[in-house]
Amino acid sequence: MDAQKKLHPDGFFEPQARRFTIVVLSAALCEACINTFLALSLDEELFILADKASTPDKWITAPRMIYPSYNFPQGSVLHEDINFVFKCRNAIMHHKADVFSKEDRIHKGTFWSGLDHSSVKRIASLPIRLMELLRPFRRHYRRRHLWPDKRV
């Protein structure tokens, strides 16, 4: 059996299992980054308000609450990638099966397309690319840290 068809111990094809792992971990890191940034930058009341938004919406709009000059590049590859990674993550974490009777589909399951090698590479780099958006504001951000800005 060639490497592309090698079965993972759980029965999934190994490349698909790796892609799922990259999607879930990348989405988690994107969420952790924006939540940490907002927690360090907003007071409790505004943080609670911002926290109600989806993670893509937090990246798109919430930093403007702190930095009016922040501009998320809507319609860009970055915008497509953040929406795509959370669509894939939700499909993995909240999977729904296709259910059929003899004649009809009873429930439409979760399906997405486009989770190929190229999109997985973009998903893996997404947290770093998103953090680059906050780079111009790092001086203010560092002053808000709860720990000293030096290595231990």
Side-chain angles (χ1 to χ4, degrees):
M1 189 179 294
D2 79 23
Q4 287 294 328
K5 301 283 186 193
K6 184 177 175 188
L7 285 178
H8 190 269
D10 295 334
F12 280 99
F13 288 111
E14 192 170 337
Q16 194 68 0
R18 288 180 183 166
R19 289 175 184 159
F20 284 8
T21 301
I22 291 168
V23 166
V24 171
L25 293 177
S26 182
L29 188 53
C30 291
E31 187 166 9
C33 288
I34 193 63
N35 285 343
T36 300
F37 171 77
L38 295 174
L40 291 171
S41 302
L42 297 173
D43 63 33
E44 185 178 1
E45 187 176 308
L46 285 175
F47 178 77
I48 290 169
L49 179 66
D51 196 42
K52 293 178 182 178
S54 69
T55 300
D57 286 343
K58 287 178 192 177
W59 274 104
I60 293 166
T61 61
R64 245 182 277 143
M65 296 167 67
I66 306 139
Y67 307 109
S69 62
Y70 175 84
N71 186 23
F72 189 92
Q74 299 224 21
S76 66
V77 171
L78 187 64
H79 189 223
E80 291 173 13
D81 288 348
I82 194 167
N83 287 323
F84 183 67
V85 75
F86 280 91
K87 178 182 174 187
C88 291
R89 185 206 70 100
N90 290 343
I92 293 166
M93 301 303 293
H94 307 287
H95 183 75
K96 294 164 185 68
D98 275 332
V99 179
F100 295 90
S101 69
K102 289 183 180 181
E103 300 86 29
D104 297 325
R105 182 187 326 203
I106 298 170
H107 296 288
K108 184 178 180 186
T110 305
F111 176 79
W112 70 89
S113 61
L115 196 56
D116 57 13
H117 183 70
S118 173
S119 63
V120 170
K121 282 175 52 178
R122 287 196 331 268
I123 287 170
S125 70
L126 183 59
I128 293 167
R129 291 184 292 135
L130 287 169
M131 288 303 294
E132 286 296 318
L133 293 175
L134 301 177
R135 182 181 289 274
F137 311 108
R138 70 183 180 269
R139 284 192 176 145
H140 172 76
Y141 181 68
R142 284 186 179 162
R143 284 192 299 253
R144 301 288 307 252
H145 277 168
L146 302 175
W147 55 88
D149 193 359
K150 60 184 174 182
R151 296 183 188 258
V152 177

